[in-house]
Amino acid sequence: EIVLTQSPATLSLSPGGRGTLSCRASQSVSTSLAWYQQKPGQAPRLLIYDASNRATGIPARFSGSGSGTDFTLTISSLEPEDFAVYFCQQCSDWPPTFGQGTRLEIK
Amino acid sequence: QVQLVQSGAEVKKPGASLKVSCKASGYMFPTYAINWVRQAPGQGLEWMGWISDYNGNTKYAQKFQGRVTMTTDTSTSTAYMEVRSLRPDDTAVYYCARDLGKIVVVPTAPQSMDVWGQGTTVTVSS
């Protein structure tokens, strides 16, 4: 199965800052990658699908890029509600797999 | 609005079975497949399997083959997941989640998941 490795494990930033989160796949997934946000006690929320497409209702400050094995989720100007855990998921091959997550915390 | 509503929290003893429900509303249930994903305390997300109400097709993660059964009831727009022979390490929050895109007859690849249930907390302890 395809292994996804996210980095860093924890990212400490200030509101208004720029967040850059990475996800690396153990083999090419083309652009079949999604990003999710999860807050404590809540279900994950789809942010980005197909590497760069924002899901319905997702603010423009969230953007995704990459193809092949290297992907990036960028949050251009962090709002207080953006501090959460972020997961990537590959949709290239069965079984779908998730990265271990990046915790974005307030500095 | 489109939503998935799951059954309530469960406490089970090791060796018991569990059946979680996921009731869909706001869309045509057979047109989107349902995934089941679990999250152990403080851990990441683990995909367990997928079911299509359209034709009854299922896919299971290898580690759950033979211990998990996913079904649907079209008349009530509800998906179910049964887990047998529960172990303490099955303690987790279990989520159902809808595929982003409509069902295709032969899915060649998984999809991202755009609508999630609220989660069902399952505790397995003697």
Side-chain angles (χ1 to χ4, degrees), chain B residues 69-84:
Chain B
T69 301
M70 296 175 187
T71 56
T72 59
D73 182 343
T74 310
S75 68
T76 60
S77 298
T78 303
Y80 298 91
M81 179 181 65
E82 181 182 28
V83 184
R84 297 175 292 280

Side-chain angles (χ1 to χ4, degrees), chain B residues 37-98:
Chain B
V37 176
R38 77 177 185 180
Q39 186 171 36
Q43 303 300 308
L45 301 168
E46 180 177 32
W47 180 80
M48 301 180 67
W50 170 98
I51 184 166
S52 163
D53 181 69
Y54 176 79
N55 54 15
N57 282 355
T58 54
K59 292 183 181 292
Y60 297 108
Q62 188 168 6
K63 73 178 285 187
F64 298 110
Q65 288 270 8
R67 201 163 70 92
V68 168
T69 301
M70 296 175 187
T71 56
T72 59
D73 182 343
T74 310
S75 68
T76 60
S77 298
T78 303
Y80 298 91
M81 179 181 65
E82 181 182 28
V83 184
R84 297 175 292 280
S85 302
L86 286 164
R87 306 185 289 253
D89 64 359
D90 291 317
T91 294
V93 178
Y94 289 76
Y95 295 102
C96 58
R98 191 186 80 163

Side-chain angles (χ1 to χ4, degrees), chain A residues 18-19 24 42 66 73 82 86 103:
Chain A
R18 181 183 182 89
R24 174 165 288 177
Q42 295 186 17
L73 174 69
D82 298 337
Y86 292 82
R103 180 178 303 278

Side-chain angles (χ1 to χ4, degrees), chain B residues 34 65 105 112 120 124:
Chain B
I34 294 287
Q65 288 270 8
V105 176
S112 53
T120 297
V124 182

Side-chain angles (χ1 to χ4, degrees), chain A residues 63-86:
Chain A
S63 63
S65 63
S67 66
T69 61
D70 291 301
F71 299 87
T72 301
L73 174 69
T74 302
I75 311 169
S76 59
S77 179
L78 287 162
E79 297 286 343
E81 62 267 28
D82 298 337
F83 292 91
V85 179
Y86 292 82

Side-chain angles (χ1 to χ4, degrees), chain A residues 36 38 42-43 89 91 94 96, chain B residues 39 47 59 95 110-111 113 117:
Chain A
Y36 299 86
Q38 187 179 33
Q42 295 186 17
Q89 178 219 339
C91 310
W94 299 97
Chain B
Q39 186 171 36
W47 180 80
K59 292 183 181 292
Y95 295 102
Q111 297 192 37
M113 304 165 209

